[in-house]
Amino acid sequence: MGTLPSSNFLNLSFKFRLKAGGGGVVEERRWVLGNRRWGKLCVQCERVLREAWRFERRSQFQNVRCFSLSDGEDEDEIRPGTSSSSVEQVEQSGANGRDDMRSERIHASVSSKSPTSSEGPVYNSFQVDSFKLIELLGPEKVDPSDVKLIKDKLFGYSSFWLTREEPFGDLREGILFIGNLRGNREDVFAKLQCKLHEAMGDRYNLFMVEEPNSEGPDPRGGPRVSFGLLRREVSEPGPTTLFQYVIALLLFVLTIGSCVELGIASQISILPPEVVKYFTDPNVIEPPEMQLLVPYMETALPLAYSVLGVQLMHEIGHFVVAFSKKAKLGIPFFIPNITLGSFGAITQFKSILPDRRAKVDISMAGPLAGAALSFSMFCVGLLHSSNPAAAGDLVQVPSTLFQGSLLLGLISRAALGYTAMHSSTVLIHPLVIAGWCGLTTSAFNMLPVGCLDGGRAVQGAFGKNALLASGLATYVMLGLGMLGGPLSLPWGLYVLICQRTSEKPCLNDVSEVGRLRQTVVIAAISVVVFTLLPLWDELAEELGIGLVTTF
């Protein structure tokens, strides 16, 4: 964060003009900010610098006056390359400004009206102060003196030949170095990182990204690369606050409650009519009395523990792989859901990932771990469901449950048989419900959209453009109800509200992840589609999954 200038501002009336045309304004502001020295240049001296820049651009220079509070210090800070006539006029205007300061004060008190100018909009002192306040409240930018030192220390003919610089970052708070690569990109990047640490310590982070608007690929293969520089406090995520810990704990308690409610709802065949109406009638808002639910709490806990265990295994998978990659993760924010027990959890990266391989591995680890545990529960539950010795532990569920997933419906049909599935209700073990909910949640979290695990994996394996295309297709399929059936709407809203933005780039956001990781990501997305694709009526009737009534 910047600091306010130490000099005292005089109450003077001055005009602050911006050159008409978008490109000139940006270049003017960038050059003036690069030549500013807080505590030495006042606002009026800064005006002189702006006028000098305009003179070079337009070969005109008229009536520039400098009211300096530093008695002419840093007059040599005027941009190098400015013509000698413009410099002389700047110095002359500084001398004349001291003589005319009193008259300017008189004019400021007499007239509050600013004359119009054909050059562009005229800003008063209040608007200029507002611009300065916005700049001070924004992210801290790279120090120009550090940029000069970094250019001298890092780049050269043998590593990366620098040709130009551009703003870098979401708010243009960094510097993007564009040039020609002179070696293997991974080796050059490692060398530049070491030199940056030796020169600046831990003050900055260096990113290797694809060159924007490049004319063609690199002659050595792959895309052309550039190097972005950001301050560490700007580029790295902030620490977890006490408020976030409280919110995470509250959401976890609510998720436990939603898992218990799912366990109670699984016993719908033996619940009282008031409770059944609450779970089946969407118009009923008031929950039933707790006295009616207490007798079924004990039998609901095993299913609640199973569903919650899948979510915890999902997060453990993320943290184990992140620890091996030396990446930091934040606390998980579990999102409760009555239908499945939980939407999963929102887990943020608390450090910048080293490369795209780490992004793919960490993102895939959670869904794979949760899906492995869920599938084990699902298969064990199907075995118990067909075992007569476990008849006392079975619960009765509507057969339409198995029509919600093409893949899981086919597996259930193969395990339980035509007779058991072709009826209005089916007797199954609670582990089947736990496995079903866990697999469905893992599949939804692997959707290739936004900041979901699937979106991160696709972004790491194929790049941001592939994520945009897959995200658009996912939104269309969710909007049409082609994925997840009745769960499409709540999941679509969940993604739009909580997980729609893509993940930030890695330090090395260029190197490929390899064919193996790309194949695993494609296979996982394919399994996700078959898991969330519901059975259509014709196929359900042919397979005997439920009683399909046609009119």
Side-chain angles (χ1 to χ4, degrees):
M1 190 68 68
T3 57
L4 290 173
S6 58
S7 59
N8 296 322
F9 289 101
L10 298 177
N11 185 17
L12 301 178
S13 174
F14 60 94
K15 316 302 185 293
F16 188 82
R17 297 183 179 89
L18 292 179
K19 178 178 173 62
V25 172
V26 175
E27 185 178 353
E28 173 186 350
R29 181 179 181 275
R30 185 188 309 148
W31 178 73
V32 173
L33 291 179
N35 287 275
R36 177 188 296 167
R37 297 293 184 269
W38 289 117
K40 293 184 179 180
L41 288 183
C42 62
V43 178
Q44 288 75 23
C45 287
E46 182 177 323
R47 176 192 172 192
V48 172
L49 288 176
R50 291 183 183 275
E51 294 293 344
W53 183 88
R54 290 173 184 161
F55 178 83
E56 184 180 8
R57 290 289 296 246
R58 303 192 310 265
S59 298
Q60 296 176 359
F61 196 88
Q62 297 175 352
N63 300 328
V64 178
R65 294 179 177 179
C66 173
F67 304 98
S68 176
L69 301 181
S70 57
D71 296 332
E73 293 180 5
D74 289 347
E75 291 180 354
D76 57 343
E77 291 292 330
I78 298 177
R79 180 182 179 183
T82 307
S83 60
S84 58
S85 60
S86 64
V87 175
E88 292 174 0
Q89 293 186 41
V90 169
E91 294 176 350
Q92 181 179 359
S93 63
N96 296 336
R98 297 187 184 92
D99 299 334
D100 297 341
M101 184 180 296
R102 182 171 300 179
S103 62
E104 286 287 338
R105 283 182 173 177
I106 296 174
H107 290 308
S109 60
V110 172
S111 176
S112 60
K113 244 179 165 182
S114 299
T116 59
S117 173
S118 60
E119 295 179 357
V122 178
Y123 297 97
N124 56 32
S125 60
F126 175 78
Q127 290 172 315
V128 174
D129 293 340
S130 300
F131 296 153
K132 289 182 176 294
L133 180 60
I134 292 175
E135 180 183 341
L136 292 175
L137 294 178
E140 191 168 358
K141 298 185 178 182
V142 179
D143 191 344
S145 60
D146 291 344
V147 173
K148 184 179 184 304
L149 179 60
I150 290 172
K151 289 164 58 177
D152 295 338
K153 294 289 185 181
L154 267 65
F155 306 113
Y157 181 80
S158 60
S159 58
F160 186 78
W161 183 255
L162 184 63
T163 57
R164 69 181 190 275
E165 305 166 22
E166 291 183 0
F168 179 70
D170 296 335
L171 301 177
R172 306 169 67 88
E173 66 273 26
I175 301 294
L176 181 65
F177 300 104
I178 300 177
N180 300 318
L181 189 66
R182 302 297 175 87
N184 180 270
R185 57 172 58 91
E186 285 79 11
D187 297 338
V188 171
F189 184 54
K191 184 186 301 184
L192 295 180
Q193 283 183 313
C194 293
K195 290 183 178 180
L196 178 65
H197 182 74
E198 294 175 357
M200 293 293 167
D202 296 332
R203 295 174 57 187
Y204 295 99
N205 281 323
L206 189 67
F207 296 82
M208 183 168 67
V209 298
E210 293 187 19
E211 180 181 323
N213 304 321
S214 60
E215 298 179 356
D218 192 284
R220 297 176 177 83
R224 291 184 178 273
V225 300
S226 301
F227 297 95
L229 185 72
L230 288 174
R231 297 187 69 92
R232 179 174 292 270
E233 59 269 20
V234 173
S235 57
E236 293 189 353
T240 305
T241 62
L242 178 61
F243 177 74
Q244 291 175 328
Y245 280 112
V246 173
I247 294 298
L249 179 61
L250 178 61
L251 289 175
F252 183 68
V253 172
L254 294 176
T255 303
I256 294 176
S258 63
C259 292
V260 173
E261 188 173 8
L262 175 63
I264 296 175
S266 65
Q267 310 172 60
I268 193 170
S269 59
I270 59 175
L271 293 177
E274 297 86 352
V275 181
V276 174
K277 188 176 182 180
Y278 170 72
F279 286 114
T280 57
D281 190 354
N283 297 322
V284 178
I285 301 177
E286 292 293 333
E289 297 181 1
M290 288 298 299
Q291 290 80 359
L292 298 175
L293 301 177
V294 169
Y296 307 96
M297 293 285 290
E298 185 177 355
T299 54
L301 290 179
L303 178 58
Y305 293 152
S306 301
V307 174
L308 190 62
V310 171
Q311 303 304 322
L312 293 177
M313 180 60 69
H314 182 115
E315 297 307 313
I316 290 173
H318 282 314
F319 277 89
V320 169
V321 178
F323 179 78
S324 65
K325 299 291 183 179
K326 298 181 180 180
K328 298 179 182 179
L329 296 179
I331 55 175
F333 294 87
F334 291 92
I335 309 299
N337 179 270
I338 298 176
T339 306
L340 298 174
S342 173
F343 278 116
I346 300 176
T347 307
Q348 298 176 334
F349 290 114
K350 287 299 180 180
S351 63
I352 306 177
L353 298 181
D355 50 37
R356 292 164 57 180
R357 298 185 186 93
K359 181 182 290 186
V360 174
D361 294 345
I362 297 174
S363 302
M364 293 287 295
L368 291 180
L373 180 59
S374 301
F375 190 71
S376 301
M377 292 180 178
F378 184 71
C379 293
V380 172
L382 289 177
L383 293 176
H384 284 299
S385 300
S386 58
N387 186 5
D393 298 330
L394 303 183
V395 295
Q396 200 173 33
V397 298
S399 59
T400 54
L401 169 69
F402 297 92
Q403 298 176 8
S405 171
L406 175 61
L407 179 62
L408 302 184
L410 293 175
I411 295 175
S412 302
R413 167 66 175 78
L416 300 179
Y418 179 86
T419 304
M421 297 289 291
H422 193 252
S423 59
S424 58
T425 59
V426 183
L427 288 173
I428 58 174
H429 195 273
L431 282 177
V432 176
I433 302 176
W436 187 291
C437 294
L439 287 170
T440 304
T441 303
S442 299
F444 270 117
N445 279 279
M446 268 301 296
L447 287 175
V449 59
C451 207
L452 294 176
D453 293 328
R456 290 171 172 174
V458 170
Q459 182 181 358
F462 302 101
K464 198 169 183 178
N465 292 332
L467 176 61
L468 294 175
S470 63
L472 179 60
T474 302
Y475 281 127
V476 172
M477 297 180 75
L478 287 174
L480 297 176
M482 300 173 61
L483 295 177
L487 296 175
S488 294
L489 179 59
W491 270 96
L493 294 176
Y494 164 68
V495 174
L496 284 173
I497 296 173
C498 302
Q499 301 275 52
R500 66 179 181 274
T501 57
S502 58
E503 190 58 55
K504 292 184 177 181
C506 310
L507 290 176
N508 179 1
D509 207 50
V510 178
S511 298
E512 299 293 337
V513 301
R515 293 291 183 182
L516 178 60
R517 287 182 174 86
Q518 291 179 341
T519 304
V520 171
V521 171
I522 294 176
I525 299 299
S526 302
V527 173
V528 165
V529 172
F530 285 108
T531 301
L532 298 179
L533 189 66
L535 279 165
W536 52 95
D537 293 342
E538 292 79 5
L539 182 58
E541 181 72 27
E542 183 178 349
L543 296 176
I545 300 178
L547 296 175
V548 180
T549 303
T550 57
F551 298 96

